[in-house]
Amino acid sequence: MRKLLLQGLLKAPLTEKGPDDAAVEALARELDAAARARLGRSLSIREVDAGSCNGCELEIHALGNAFYDLDRFGIRFVASPRHADVLLVTGPVAKNMAEALKRTYDATPGPKWVVAAGDCAINGGVFAGSYAVTDGAAAIIPVDLKIPGCPPTPVDLLTGLLALLKAGKG
Amino acid sequence: MVNLSDLFARNGTLCRPWPRVSVNEAEWTGLCTELAAGRLTLSALFGDRIQGDLGAVHMALLEEATGRLALASLPCPTGAFPSVARHHPPAARLERTIRDLFGLTPVGAPDLRPWLDHARWGVRAPLGAATPDAGAGEAYPVLPVEGEGLHQIPVGPVHAGIIEPGHFRFSAYGETVVRLEERLGYVHKGMESLMAGRAPEEAARIAGRHSGDATVAYALAFCRAVEAARGVAVPERAHALRGLMAELERLANHLGDIGAICNDAAFAIMLAHCGVLRERVLRASARAFGHRLMMDRVVPGGVAQDITAEAIAGMKALVAEVRRAFPALVRLYDETASLQDRTVSTGFTKPDYVRQFGAGGFVGRASGRGFDARRALPYPPYDRLPFEVPVRSDGDVNARVWVRIREVEESLGLIIRLLDTLPKGDITVPVPAGGGEGVALVESFRGDVFAFVALESDGRVRRAHLRDPSWFQWPLLETAIEGNIVADFPLCNKSFNCSYSGVDL
């Protein structure tokens, strides 16, 4: 273990530069002006899987690895909606999850924002039209930002979340 | 009395490569007693509608000793069938699912509570009579637990971590878990209804999203069943590239799991280092096949994208890097007493249960069941490749970690071997439209995925069913946590890493 820790000290960090600014700007403009005024220099996110295939969760997990290191941007995932500024919703919203999603939203103190991550959360994705889904998060709770992809890559997710953060600073 | 040889001796419908035979109720029940006696393993049990509105149930049976598989089908003109779970408990949730989706009743079943149907869809028996319903939801009676000093802890469906939703009801005596009851179905998306009526190419995209972490294995199982139904021979290069993708998927998931299990024992440095290796695998996969998880890269007739010489070099560098970094992490795992204290003897899964449930993957192989579809019912490219199937008998969290460690090493070897022996030629062949039935069994990182596909004469999917390995692992998690402390549940759960989406359909 000592050797591993020592290597960590001696080697250059793996963490990479954040996503390029043009893409961030483009996303930031989509956001509501009210969000810009209210949000501070940090984001607490509660992730809610509302029926995803778990692909989105894998990439959201990857945000925490040494290459992306989400924490450096002041963004962190929290265990309870009570501690959250943002709900990060994945999945087409299975009808069996609709009430749990609504309750999680209601349990999140305002001001709060909802990010629909992945094609499913935006419009149902490949699951659109099924008897068992609502074709996206917007059918259940108001959505402020959409991050497309199937699944969105960690860079896509990071770009979207940074946009939310930048908008908050403005 | 009927057994598998009787099924093989009959002239079944044209189902390839294994037969599907119609049986009567007495024969159906006879097969159930074969399951109960342990002479056969239940591989799948699912509903269908044949010849218009006639309900039917299909049971896939595996004879492990001979590596043979056959399907028995029972038409249900009265809307009922003799319960399998009455004789063989592993069938219980599968039967409850058949009842929820098709409205067919298992007569004599020990548990008739709904499973996937939470009364939210606005329709009952969506794949059967499809009767309208208010969709207002209904209370779900959990099993009673009685005794002085017992308390219940409800957890979920929204959990504290970034994981899939499900409800766990713990009954605890102090810190000790007396009973865990799972309630799943929260991520039911109606995938089987979405696949029906589509062209195989479109249905493959939904098949590959049953469980995103096993997308390659799922797409492969579906495509192999379609190709079997149409009698299509896939080019050798496609077989090799499919194997390459499947092993990359196994590698990425095992590396992620090993790190995450240790993290659930509060040993974060393993997560950090394994997370780096996992990310390197995903990046090499993206460079080679254009998608980090390799979604939609396995298609009916072959693969969607060929590998370049540059990507092959990248893949070899990846294997070298993992081989360089991984042994130190394995030593760290093995030599850290505080970590071993958490994983050794925790979450013991009985070998008897693993055999009875036919549990595959690291859950089965850590408790003495050495079944691996790549070895037991070999399919290309594994029929020409040497590899070891690691098996242990200690059955605890530690054993499930070690099976993964050994499988990482095997996958690295397979990747190099596949790259060195990559056949030249096409990567896809056309699949001519037409009818037929096909079956496939493919080893995902988590265990064997079973696929049944029936095609209409115009080539569209009539019925597709994909059975996740977790159907036979989730119930064992309930047994593994018994007598452990509540705080060890995340550790046990992660060591199983069952799929929610895969079983919720």
Side-chain angles (χ1 to χ4, degrees), chain B residues 21 30-31 34 69-70 90 107 112 124 145 171 202 204 260 264 275 304 395 413 463 472 501 503:
Chain B
V21 177
L31 289 167
E34 290 290 294
L69 196 137
V107 177
L112 279 174
R124 292 291 174 128
V145 182
S171 296
E202 288 174 57
D264 275 348
R463 173 90 176 99
F472 303 122
S501 184
V503 299

Side-chain angles (χ1 to χ4, degrees), chain B residues 13-20 71 224-232 435-440 451-453:
Chain B
T13 50
L14 197 61
C15 181
R16 285 180 288 213
W18 299 299
R20 181 170 77 76
L71 279 79
R224 285 189 59 76
V226 168
E227 289 149 11
R230 299 298 305 130
V232 169
E437 290 183 7
V439 188
F452 170 82
V453 178

Side-chain angles (χ1 to χ4, degrees), chain B residues 5-86:
Chain B
S5 296
D6 298 331
L7 297 186
F8 269 91
R10 291 189 199 175
N11 286 324
T13 50
L14 197 61
C15 181
R16 285 180 288 213
W18 299 299
R20 181 170 77 76
V21 177
S22 283
V23 296
N24 61 33
E25 284 201 8
E27 290 165 332
W28 178 269
T29 306
L31 289 167
C32 294
T33 54
E34 290 290 294
L35 287 171
R39 286 187 287 271
L40 294 173
T41 304
L42 183 66
S43 189
L45 179 62
F46 53 103
D48 199 353
R49 269 204 305 180
I50 50 173
Q51 300 153 20
D53 268 351
L54 179 62
V57 282
H58 307 297
M59 176 158 63
L61 301 156
L62 176 71
E63 194 172 66
E64 290 185 36
T66 57
R68 290 194 303 179
L69 196 137
L71 279 79
S73 301
L74 178 70
C76 312
T78 63
F81 64 97
S83 167
V84 181
R86 182 185 187 177

Side-chain angles (χ1 to χ4, degrees), chain A residues 11 21 27 30 32 36-38 40 48-49 54 60 62 86 93 99 104 107 115-116 119 122 127 130 132 135 158:
Chain A
K11 280 198 308 196
D21 279 345
L27 273 158
E30 281 182 28
D32 184 13
R36 294 166 190 261
R38 291 256 183 91
V48 183
D49 174 342
N54 78 30
I60 292 168
V86 171
V93 185
E99 186 187 336
T104 306
V115 179
D119 294 347
I122 293 172
F127 306 114
S130 160
D135 292 354
L158 205 51

Side-chain angles (χ1 to χ4, degrees), chain B residues 179-252:
Chain B
R179 167 181 270 169
L180 162 65
E181 185 178 350
E182 298 153 357
R183 192 204 182 191
L184 305 178
Y186 289 94
V187 295
H188 177 75
K189 296 179 270 293
M191 291 191 278
E192 302 200 334
S193 81
L194 287 169
M195 288 190 289
R198 306 261 179 125
E201 294 73 29
E202 288 174 57
R205 289 171 52 81
I206 297 163
R209 284 165 181 78
H210 271 57
S211 188
D213 49 13
T215 182
V216 172
Y218 263 98
L220 183 53
F222 177 85
C223 292
R224 285 189 59 76
V226 168
E227 289 149 11
R230 299 298 305 130
V232 169
V234 169
E236 284 302 317
R237 188 174 177 86
H239 280 313
L241 291 176
R242 286 172 167 191
L244 182 59
M245 289 188 228
E247 294 312 312
L248 286 166
E249 182 172 89
R250 196 179 326 278
L251 185 61

